[in-house]
Amino acid sequence: MFLDLKTMCTRVRRDIIKMLGYANSGHPGGSLSSVELIVSLYFKHMKFNSRNPQDPKRDYFILSKGHACPALYAVLAHLKCFNIDELYTLRKTGSRLQGHPAKDRGLPGIEVSTGSLGYGLSVGVGIAVGMKQAKKSNKVYVLMGDGEQQEGSIWESVMAAAHFKLDNLCAIIDDNGLQIDGATKDIMNIEPLNSKYRAFGWNIIEINGHNLNEINNAYTKFKKEKNKPTVIIAKTIKGKGIHYMENLTEWHGKVPSKELIIKALKEIEVSSSMK
Amino acid sequence: MVEIFERKATRFGFGKGLVELGKRDPNVFVLGADTISSVAINNFKEIFPDRFLNVGIAETNLLGMAAGLAIAGFIPFVSTYGVFVTGRPWEQIRTTICYSNLNVKIGGSHSGIMVGPDGATHQALEDIAIMRCIPRMKVIVPCDFIETKKAVIASAYVDGPVYIRYGRENTPIFTKNDSYFEIGKANTLRDGKDVAIMASGTMVYESLSAAEILEKKGIKVKVINIHTIKPIDEKAIINAAKECGAIVTAEEHQIYGGFGSAVAEVLCKNFPVPIEMIGINDRFGESDYGANLMKRYGLNDISIAEAVLKVLKRK
């Protein structure tokens, strides 16, 4: 099973690089660091029917770090929400795949427009409250970045989620340690994240965000949690999977040259054949 | 004299409309932010406690949660003071709610300078401007208690985001339960061919009163209540301009970017006529009794009548 998820992660990484190459713009670093977290969620843990993405029984996924949308678009395409060729319309005239997720374009599987950081968690809190009120068991997942934790609005929603005892809400922090201007700890330190969330009344799970086994255990554990919201703090590597991008902040919003794209695709291919 | 049936604050119309909606529709959900009694949404909480949440003093989360509730299939209404509900979470309203076209209804209470003694921090005077510039947002400024109630109920049944501006102070009730109300349609309250006063919110009553003052001078004034500032009733504005040839706008809001600007945009594009604008003239409010401030800032019938005389000279 994990082999399948692993293969899917490789395919999604390849798609991200190709999409960004065709678009000639976008955010490789934070898309690549999120891959395992999103793939595991959609292919193993979330209730999601790609034939009916608006199914009232679905679990909800909010990509608060909207700039990582190439990873989400690729996952949705592999789930057959839309034709995989549409991936290559990313950021182009008339595309449903906007530079940041746009609900109004009608791309199946996009719950809400995101891209301005710090908004997603409160949207998740609202959905989770709605599910509780309707006595429904749907889960709500919100993927955030680590830099995003600097936004004050995040902490309003962190407070509310614990206050309303939203055990149906799972926040995931793709903690790659880098933001546009440099290392998160240098720009505006957010650590210690675990004790901050704990102090607000959350259940904390800390994992390696590229280890599918640990990710699987974390999502499984979340689903059993009662009375508290859960945050999965996932240590990740920005640019994961492309050697020359890894842990370099310059690859936040830069697209590689043609030569470097070919190099990246080769590296992905080699690593997948080794598995 | 303009016939007044009673004096009652528009906030109670908002609260009453919500309670009626709550009875009609199990999907109506109300969120407050620590001001629930003063913005008059507390009755809804008492009657429908399981469809009400107080999120505390946290306006960005207030609007974010409303977005989530809309995604979950509810019709969320949020309300707190107009300054706080439109200003602090403006980007949530723009990007999360309007860009996603979510069905969120926003109530901005304590609008205008009439709020008085609390001073400029609490007097919403820019909310119309910053709400009407966002694509998909509808903006409604009802003129009295009854109209506010109607606006709340009607807003639940138009798809997408709506901003309803209302107030704390007691103001005259001069419309009736059976007066016509439709979002986007202006109501002509008084006919005349010399000049048209177009007003929103609290200034509608003042405009009717101004028309009576002017009647005594032999000036026939048309008074139009434009409760929906967006989408604005272009046809009514153009027809009035053609018929009267001069327009005065009146609003309890900054002139820049507000209701008068919206009317001017329509006129400039379609049928330019002289226009005078009554409103706050690019300044902050201050502490005092509301009635004193309305007078000092030129937001009353006498100022409107003076503006009419001025615009008639330009006709």
Side-chain angles (χ1 to χ4, degrees):
Chain A
M1 181 190 302
F2 290 130
L3 188 68
D4 288 343
L5 288 185
K6 243 180 185 166
T7 310
M8 187 51 68
C9 289
T10 306
R11 286 190 188 162
V12 168
R13 284 211 160 81
R14 184 194 61 201
D15 294 336
I16 290 169
I17 295 299
K18 283 170 76 178
M19 288 162 80
L20 295 182
Y22 280 112
N24 199 26
S25 72
H27 300 87
S31 301
L32 291 165
S33 64
S34 298
V35 170
E36 280 81 7
L37 295 166
I38 301 177
V39 166
S40 173
L41 198 52
Y42 271 90
F43 286 92
K44 194 165 158 57
H45 289 280
M46 260 173 69
K47 272 189 210 148
F48 181 77
N49 176 2
S50 54
R51 288 201 186 135
N52 182 15
Q54 290 295 303
D55 187 342
K57 290 189 184 126
R58 73 192 183 278
D59 290 338
Y60 294 81
F61 177 73
I62 307 295
L63 184 66
S64 192
K65 49 172 295 189
H67 57 282
C69 59
L72 176 61
Y73 293 156
V75 164
L76 293 174
H78 285 291
L79 283 165
K80 299 190 168 45
C81 282
F82 49 88
N83 194 308
I84 200 136
D85 292 338
E86 193 172 346
L87 287 180
Y88 307 115
T89 68
L90 173 72
R91 292 175 169 248
K92 297 233 163 77
T93 313
S95 176
R96 298 195 291 179
L97 283 69
Q98 291 288 294
H100 293 84
K103 185 183 171 75
D104 68 346
R105 291 291 171 134
L107 190 72
I110 301 300
E111 299 283 4
V112 65
S113 305
T114 51
S116 182
L117 296 173
Y119 294 171
L121 190 56
S122 58
V123 176
V125 170
I127 300 172
V129 158
M131 292 304 125
K132 290 263 176 199
Q133 201 280 336
K135 300 194 167 37
K136 288 165 75 176
S137 61
N138 313 44
K139 308 286 184 203
V140 185
Y141 299 89
V142 180
L143 180 62
M144 300 180 282
D146 58 322
E148 192 176 358
Q149 305 302 308
Q150 292 159 351
E151 293 277 9
S153 54
I154 292 276
W155 299 98
E156 288 186 10
S157 30
V158 169
M159 204 184 305
H163 183 82
F164 297 129
K165 300 187 169 53
L166 301 178
D167 52 19
N168 53 348
L169 176 70
C170 179
I172 307 141
I173 301 174
D174 173 3
D175 186 6
N176 62 35
L178 296 174
Q179 57 187 116
I180 295 179
D181 279 349
T184 309
K185 66 176 174 10
D186 297 333
I187 304 300
M188 182 50 66
N189 187 29
I190 53 164
E191 294 296 342
L193 269 183
N194 52 6
S195 50
K196 282 193 181 76
Y197 272 85
R198 191 170 290 121
F200 275 90
W202 285 56
N203 172 43
I204 319 293
I205 303 173
E206 293 180 270
I207 58 166
N208 170 347
H210 299 302
N211 182 319
L212 287 164
N213 206 4
E214 289 185 30
I215 295 171
N216 181 47
N217 290 341
Y219 289 141
T220 306
K221 206 172 154 209
F222 150 66
K223 288 185 235 178
K224 292 178 192 151
E225 188 63 35
K226 291 274 170 259
N227 295 318
K228 281 180 176 183
T230 292
V231 60
I232 298 171
I233 301 171
K235 287 277 180 219
T236 58
I237 294 168
K238 197 153 183 164
K240 170 75 177 174
I242 314 295
H243 216 72
Y244 62 81
M245 283 190 190
E246 287 188 355
N247 280 325
L248 288 178
T249 197
E250 63 182 276
W251 291 103
H252 173 85
K254 189 174 80 171
V255 169
S257 64
K258 213 170 183 181
E259 293 72 35
L260 283 177
I261 285 177
I262 292 164
K263 194 176 167 192
L265 292 173
K266 254 188 199 147
E267 186 184 344
I268 293 167
E269 207 178 299
V270 170
S271 73
S272 75
S273 67
M274 277 163 60
K275 276 159 197 166
Chain B
M1 281 291 285
V2 184
E3 194 182 2
I4 299 176
F5 307 112
E6 203 186 334
R7 288 178 70 87
K8 211 169 185 180
T10 49
R11 58 178 163 155
F12 298 118
F14 189 87
K16 203 164 178 198
L18 282 185
V19 169
E20 268 190 37
L21 270 177
K23 287 177 189 158
R24 272 193 218 180
D25 195 329
N27 284 324
V28 170
F29 202 114
V30 178
L31 297 173
D34 197 45
T35 55
I36 68 170
S37 297
S38 57
V39 305
I41 55 177
N42 52 329
N43 281 346
F44 187 95
K45 182 196 171 183
E46 280 152 27
I47 302 170
F48 310 104
D50 59 334
R51 285 191 271 146
F52 183 93
L53 281 182
N54 193 334
V55 308
I57 309 164
E59 292 81 11
T60 58
N61 190 44
L62 177 74
L63 273 295
M65 281 184 64
L69 281 160
I71 292 168
F74 291 89
I75 308 172
F77 279 76
V78 307
S79 179
T80 182
Y81 296 8
V83 179
F84 313 143
V85 83
T86 61
R88 183 86 57 107
W90 186 84
E91 208 191 344
Q92 271 85 354
I93 297 172
R94 175 197 178 266
T95 301
T96 308
I97 293 170
C98 292
Y99 184 36
S100 301
N101 200 18
L102 295 177
N103 201 20
V104 175
K105 318 301 173 186
I106 303 165
S109 182
H110 292 50
S111 65
I113 203 159
M114 225 186 253
V115 166
D118 276 345
T121 52
H122 287 55
Q123 295 161 351
L125 294 174
E126 298 81 20
D127 51 326
I128 296 173
I130 62 175
M131 288 297 101
R132 83 177 183 94
C133 66
I134 308 176
R136 297 190 181 123
M137 179 61 91
K138 294 182 171 66
V139 178
I140 309 176
V141 184
C143 66
D144 68 1
F145 167 86
I146 289 173
E147 197 169 85
T148 308
K149 192 177 93 183
K150 289 178 189 168
V152 171
I153 293 166
S155 74
Y157 300 103
V158 294
D159 196 32
V162 179
Y163 176 63
I164 300 172
R165 180 190 215 233
Y166 63 99
R168 187 187 67 180
E169 306 308 305
N170 283 333
T171 48
I173 297 179
F174 56 98
T175 68
K176 297 177 183 167
N177 281 321
D178 60 359
S179 304
Y180 185 73
F181 179 87
E182 185 186 340
I183 292 174
K185 289 271 180 287
N187 289 335
T188 301
L189 301 182
R190 180 187 175 113
D191 227 350
K193 288 191 187 312
D194 295 332
V195 62
I197 304 173
M198 300 182 180
S200 72
T202 51
M203 299 308 282
V204 177
Y205 175 78
E206 297 297 326
S207 300
L208 287 168
S209 176
E212 301 227 329
I213 297 170
L214 292 159
E215 172 92 51
K216 288 174 194 143
K217 296 181 187 250
I219 300 165
K220 306 281 182 210
V221 181
K222 185 194 288 291
V223 176
I224 305 179
N225 169 21
I226 304 190
H227 49 70
T228 307
I229 294 177
K230 191 183 170 194
I232 204 158
D233 190 341
E234 297 202 0
K235 216 164 147 188
I237 294 169
I238 296 163
N239 287 343
K242 285 180 179 166
E243 197 181 340
C244 304
I247 307 277
V248 169
T249 63
E251 66 195 299
E252 198 187 340
H253 181 274
Q254 301 288 354
I255 285 173
Y256 294 159
F259 165 67
S261 301
V263 171
E265 285 158 15
V266 175
L267 291 175
C268 291
K269 278 189 291 185
N270 297 283
F271 195 84
V273 296
I275 177 167
E276 290 290 331
M277 294 183 192
I278 290 291
I280 304 282
N281 202 358
D282 196 25
R283 56 199 280 221
F284 287 105
E286 61 190 297
S287 292
D288 200 343
Y289 293 112
N292 291 351
L293 291 172
M294 292 295 275
K295 200 172 159 194
R296 192 176 318 141
Y297 285 72
L299 300 171
N300 60 6
D301 50 0
I302 296 165
S303 302
I304 296 168
E306 283 167 0
V308 165
L309 297 178
K310 204 169 156 194
V311 85
L312 283 174
K313 283 183 198 154
R314 296 170 54 205
K315 199 171 162 181

